[in-house]
């Protein structure tokens, strides 16, 4: 049908856009690119929107370099397109080009500082860069705009745990329970924070609460084993760590934990 339409309306960019989409869906990359490129050479009332739609289709099939080509073309026409700036930040983040990702997310925020999702994504970029202070600031801004952004709360909690601020991390994970009260991994994460703080009985309480929800959660069994190891209850530690290994036999840390317990037992 599209081949027929092209003969009738050879200057209709939307026809070539649809033709490109059809080729892309069939994995015909060269034909898709030819059709898409032809569509950009036809007259259209909103070329930026057309380029954005083409880039988005390439993004859906993980052709990030082609997506970037069209997003950058669109940005050259309209440098303040929020949609395009967001996707550029996202593409470069996916490609691991974090400086460029940072640049485009910040350009977006210069125009619209009240986007929780962009602050959140910027937090991820800073985390991957190892700049944890900036990451925490970004997550805080995300939460200032949207206090119910549970993903931002989760990443903030993980970042606090990474920099060994375990008390603040435990409080942050506890906030997350308001949104996900039946998530066993959150209870296990709180348990790990208290274990690092040396509050061993509180840690075991949270590990057990996670196991009440999901008895097969290996990290909770291992966490109980670590607490028992630290409190020199070696037989109990051995039992819990062996349960963790039975559930996840390829986990390096679990075997290392088992070795530590056996060493302390003189075995």
């Amino acid at each position: 049908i599209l081949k027929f339409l092209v003969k009738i309306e050879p200057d209709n960019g939307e026809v070539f856009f649809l033709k490109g989409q059809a080729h892309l869906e069939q994995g015909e990359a060269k034909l898709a690119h030819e059709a898409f490129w032809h569509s950009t050479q036809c007259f259209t009332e909103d070329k930026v929107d057309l380029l954005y739609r083409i880039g988005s289709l390439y993004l859906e099939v993980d052709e990030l370099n082609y997506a970037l080509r069209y997003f950058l073309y669109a940005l050259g026409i309209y440098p303040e397109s929020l949609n395009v700036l967001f996707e550029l930040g996202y593409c470069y983040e996916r490609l691991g080009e974090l400086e460029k990702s940072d640049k485009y997310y910040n350009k977006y925020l210069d125009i619209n500082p009240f986007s929780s999702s962009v602050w959140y994504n910027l937090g991820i970029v800073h985390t991957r860069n190892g700049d944890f202070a900036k990451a925490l600031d970004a997550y805080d801004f995300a939460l200032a705009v949207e206090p119910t952004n549970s993903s931002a709360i989760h990443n903030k909690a993980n970042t606090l745990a990474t920099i060994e601020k375990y008390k603040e991390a435990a409080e942050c994970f506890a906030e997350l329970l308001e949104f996900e009260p039946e998530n066993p991994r959150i209870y296990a994460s709180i348990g790990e924070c208290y274990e690092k703080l040396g509050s061993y009985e509180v840690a075991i309480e949270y590990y057990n609460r996670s196991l009440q929800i999901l008895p097969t959660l290996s990290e909770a069994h291992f966490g109980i084993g670590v607490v028992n190891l630290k409190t020199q209850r070696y037989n109990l530690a051995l039992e819990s760590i062996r349960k963790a290994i039975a559930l996840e036999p390829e986990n390096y840390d679990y075997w290392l934990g088992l070795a530590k317990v056996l060493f302390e037992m003189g075995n």
Side-chain angles (χ1 to χ4, degrees):
I1 294 169
L2 288 166
K3 285 177 181 176
F4 177 70
L5 283 171
V6 163
K7 293 175 183 176
I8 300 171
E9 299 183 75
D11 296 319
N12 187 329
E14 283 299 317
V15 173
F16 283 98
F17 170 78
L18 289 172
K19 194 167 182 288
Q21 187 174 4
H23 286 307
L24 195 65
E25 292 287 347
Q26 294 187 112
E28 297 164 346
K30 187 173 184 296
L31 292 172
H33 184 60
E34 287 174 0
F36 283 140
W37 191 250
H38 196 112
S39 75
T40 67
Q41 305 310 301
C42 299
F43 171 77
T44 176
E45 291 182 3
D46 192 345
K47 192 166 188 175
V48 172
D49 177 66
L50 175 64
L51 293 165
Y52 173 76
R53 285 187 286 141
I54 295 170
S56 297
L57 288 174
Y58 275 120
L59 196 54
E60 285 178 14
V61 295
D62 282 333
E63 290 285 354
L64 297 176
N65 289 311
Y66 274 120
L68 278 173
R69 180 181 301 187
Y70 286 97
F71 290 139
L72 288 167
Y73 187 0
L75 194 73
I77 299 169
Y78 183 38
E80 296 189 349
S81 169
L82 293 177
N83 286 338
V84 172
L85 287 169
F86 180 87
E87 298 299 359
L88 282 168
Y90 179 68
C91 282
Y92 282 119
E93 180 192 331
R94 289 273 307 278
L95 288 168
E97 296 186 44
L98 301 179
E99 285 186 17
K100 289 181 179 179
S101 179
D102 185 321
K103 169 186 165 183
Y104 286 110
Y105 282 142
N106 273 299
K107 281 189 174 185
Y108 183 110
L109 293 167
D110 287 341
I111 300 166
N112 175 24
F114 300 103
S115 171
S116 183
S117 59
V118 176
W119 280 115
Y120 169 74
N121 282 17
L122 189 58
I124 293 172
V125 171
H126 289 316
T127 300
R128 290 179 64 187
N129 263 330
D131 198 336
F132 300 119
K134 283 187 177 180
L136 288 171
D137 284 342
Y139 295 135
D140 280 337
F141 279 121
L143 291 166
V145 176
E146 186 186 345
T148 58
N149 187 335
S150 60
S151 296
I153 298 171
H154 189 272
N155 280 22
K156 180 183 175 182
N158 279 332
T159 304
L160 287 166
T162 299
I163 59 174
E164 300 183 358
K165 291 190 175 182
Y166 297 115
K167 185 174 183 296
E168 294 93 330
E171 291 168 356
C172 207
F173 279 122
E175 283 181 45
L176 197 57
L177 287 174
E178 294 178 22
F179 304 97
E180 303 175 47
E182 296 300 313
N183 187 331
R185 285 182 170 79
I186 297 173
Y187 288 102
S189 295
I190 296 172
E192 186 176 359
C193 288
Y194 281 113
E195 174 238 307
K196 299 290 187 185
L197 289 165
S199 300
Y200 297 129
E201 296 311 313
V202 179
I204 284 188
E205 179 187 333
Y206 276 100
Y207 284 134
N208 280 326
R209 287 174 74 177
S210 73
L211 290 171
Q212 286 170 8
I213 300 168
L214 184 62
T216 56
L217 188 65
S218 64
E219 54 258 49
H221 287 292
F222 181 71
I224 292 171
V226 170
V227 170
N228 285 324
L229 171 62
K230 288 182 175 180
T231 54
Q232 299 181 352
R233 294 177 285 195
Y234 300 126
N235 286 325
L236 291 174
L238 199 62
E239 181 185 344
S240 294
I241 291 175
R242 280 180 169 157
K243 283 180 183 177
I245 290 173
L247 291 164
E248 198 178 332
E250 298 302 313
N251 190 307
Y252 166 88
D253 289 321
Y254 296 175
W255 286 100
L256 185 61
L258 179 62
K260 288 177 180 177
V261 175
L262 292 168
F263 177 81
E264 292 297 335
M265 296 176 81
N267 187 348

